[in-house]
Amino acid sequence: MLPMGTIVTVCMLVGILCLIAQLAKTTANSLPGWLFRALGGIVFCAGAWNTFWHGLRNLTNFWGIAALLSGIIMMFAAVLVIRFSNKNRDNHLQRVVALVLLTAFFLLYAITISRL
């Protein structure tokens, strides 16, 4: 069985890849909308678990706070992925900010897991 930290890290990577695909106009146009919604739903569920199950229960240590913050960023990124429309690109700045923050948390988790 995989540890939940590894699953959350992989879900962060999925969110990052979806945001990159949406920022690259040609890739987003070639992928079906249902795929973005399905992957966004997975990222949202992982972010909700990270926030509400692990983060709020462990606010007294570093990983609890990291889980809380990264979970909130994951849910925000998932909403951007799910609500993506090829016609409406008004959320470009929000996608870039979510991408940068999610990448930072992904690197924190991935580096820590690789050192274990």
Side-chain angles (χ1 to χ4, degrees), residues 18-48:
C18 286
L19 287 171
I20 290 172
Q22 290 178 346
L23 287 170
K25 297 174 186 175
T26 56
T27 306
N29 291 338
S30 64
L31 295 174
W34 65 265
L35 182 61
F36 282 120
R37 288 188 295 275
L39 293 174
I42 292 169
V43 173
F44 188 88
C45 289

Side-chain angles (χ1 to χ4, degrees), residues 7-80:
I7 294 169
V8 168
T9 305
V10 170
C11 289
M12 284 184 199
L13 181 60
V14 169
I16 290 167
L17 294 175
C18 286
L19 287 171
I20 290 172
Q22 290 178 346
L23 287 170
K25 297 174 186 175
T26 56
T27 306
N29 291 338
S30 64
L31 295 174
W34 65 265
L35 182 61
F36 282 120
R37 288 188 295 275
L39 293 174
I42 292 169
V43 173
F44 188 88
C45 289
W49 182 90
N50 217 22
T51 299
F52 300 115
W53 180 256
H54 187 73
L56 290 178
R57 293 175 58 180
N58 297 288
L59 286 176
T60 59
N61 62 45
F62 174 78
W63 286 110
I65 295 169
L68 178 69
L69 296 175
S70 65
I72 291 169
I73 297 299
M74 287 175 72
M75 289 187 293
F76 176 67
V79 168
L80 292 175

